[in-house]
Amino acid sequence: MKTLILSISLMSMILSWAQEAKAYRLKANDEISLTIFREPDLAATEKLTITGEVSFHLIGSIQLLGLTIGEAEKLVTEKYDADYLVSPSLSINVVNAADELISVLGAVNNPGQQNIPVNETLDLATAIESAGGLAAHADSERIELKRGDETQTFRLADLNSANAPQVVLNHGDRVNVAASPFANKTVTILGEVNAPGSFPFPISGQMSLDLLIASSNGLTKIADPGRITIKRNGKIYSGTLGRQQGLAPGDLVTIPPSRFAGKSLTFSGKVARPGDIPFPLNGKLDILGAVNLAGGFDRLANKKKVTLVRVINGKEQSFTLNCEKMLDGEQASTPLQPGDRIFVKERVF
């Protein structure tokens, strides 16, 4: 009884192997043998061409690519039965199976074909790693697996996830890693930055105004960050552009100089340092702030009668300012403009 059980088990294993052999699909460069019962002269051992064809005696060339062994035997039987033999009995066997290949192309560092190891499997993540990994311009969310007429798209992050099931590859599979839509795209910054020019747009597609300014080594001392403009598709955007403003490929960013760059006002009279005072680049300066920049009032200065001369509509106009009240907080400090001239008289005792 024990011997019978072992025999049945062995027979089941042999049948299983036979079924697996029958399920094998022929591919290019496979070497196969043909044996026909009672027809020894027609026996042959041939290799499938790159296009999957093989030539046998009498029937000539026949296409076997992609057929199982059983399908191939049926087709060859029909060819012989049609014109040459009566009810032929034949068998086809794989003598040497060609390498099983897949291809990894596109945005990887070493594109090309890869062998599927004999009696092993090759998964998609491993194939990409074997191709040198993704290139710098790759889109990690568009990894395409083409199998026959079907295409599936994967994300590299999902493939490398600890709990993700392996995507096992089959012979003939084609893997294509798409290039990022931002590859070879640039954004340009001109004007008051320390290193103006064009810069590569990040493959991630995320670039802020602040990042671009940092890439150009920052703003110059006379830059006016409040008047930045962005030219995009022929339109110019300005106004309140935050430093986290998102940019797009092809954008032209211009950083203008401050309107107050190189501008000044002039002090004369009883201040510590009479002469020209550079106007702040932000355009904000009042009389008390200007006095501080001039070193402060002289001890003999008449703070109650400070003369401000300003050109308005092409004509000079004079104003008397009571800086003493401003210092006491009784009046607001008078705003100044570039080109103003200020004269501080001496007190009369």
Side-chain angles (χ1 to χ4, degrees), residues 59-279:
I59 61 174
S61 182
I62 186 171
Q63 175 62 255
L64 300 182
L65 185 67
L67 299 183
T68 64
I69 299 301
E71 291 168 343
E73 289 175 342
K74 180 180 178 182
L75 180 59
V76 174
T77 297
E78 290 173 353
K79 292 290 184 180
Y80 276 112
D81 189 45
D83 297 306
Y84 304 103
L85 302 175
V86 178
S87 300
S89 176
L90 59 83
S91 64
I92 292 176
N93 293 288
V94 177
V95 178
N96 287 305
D99 290 339
E100 296 197 13
L101 302 173
I102 59 96
S103 59
V104 182
L105 304 175
V108 291
N109 289 307
N110 298 306
Q113 289 188 322
Q114 297 181 27
N115 290 330
I116 297 177
V118 179
N119 298 324
E120 295 182 22
T121 59
L122 177 65
D123 65 89
L124 181 53
T126 301
I128 292 173
E129 183 179 351
S130 298
L134 299 189
H137 62 284
D139 185 347
S140 64
E141 298 195 353
R142 289 178 57 208
I143 298 172
E144 298 176 343
L145 170 58
K146 297 181 179 181
R147 180 174 294 167
D149 296 329
E150 296 183 358
T151 301
Q152 289 182 283
T153 302
F154 300 89
R155 299 170 64 249
L156 184 63
D158 293 338
L159 294 175
N160 290 331
S161 173
N163 299 321
Q166 288 186 338
V167 179
V168 177
L169 301 178
N170 295 336
H171 173 70
D173 281 353
R174 292 160 294 160
V175 178
N176 182 67
V177 179
S180 166
F182 302 101
N184 302 317
K185 300 295 178 64
T186 60
V187 62
T188 303
I189 185 168
L190 301 176
E192 296 304 324
V193 288
N194 290 303
S198 295
F199 295 87
F201 205 87
I203 295 301
S204 65
Q206 302 295 320
M207 177 172 250
S208 67
L209 183 57
D210 192 51
L211 177 59
L212 179 60
I213 291 173
S215 298
S216 59
N217 292 340
L219 301 175
T220 66
K221 293 181 179 180
I222 65 171
D224 186 350
R227 294 192 304 127
I228 295 174
T229 61
I230 299 175
K231 186 176 182 181
R232 180 181 299 165
N233 299 326
K235 295 182 179 180
I236 295 179
Y237 301 88
S238 59
T240 55
L241 294 173
R243 295 290 285 271
Q244 295 304 313
Q245 174 76 34
L247 300 178
D251 278 357
L252 171 61
V253 177
T254 302
I255 313 289
S258 168
R259 290 169 291 184
F260 302 97
K263 302 295 179 64
S264 62
L265 52 81
T266 304
F267 265 99
S268 60
K270 296 301 179 177
V271 290
R273 294 189 297 272
D276 290 342
I277 301 294
F279 213 86

Side-chain angles (χ1 to χ4, degrees), residues 330-347:
E330 296 179 23
Q331 291 183 7
S333 184
T334 301
L336 300 180
Q337 296 178 4
D340 284 350
R341 301 199 312 276
I342 302 159
F343 180 69
V344 181
K345 299 178 183 180
E346 185 176 344
R347 283 186 297 161

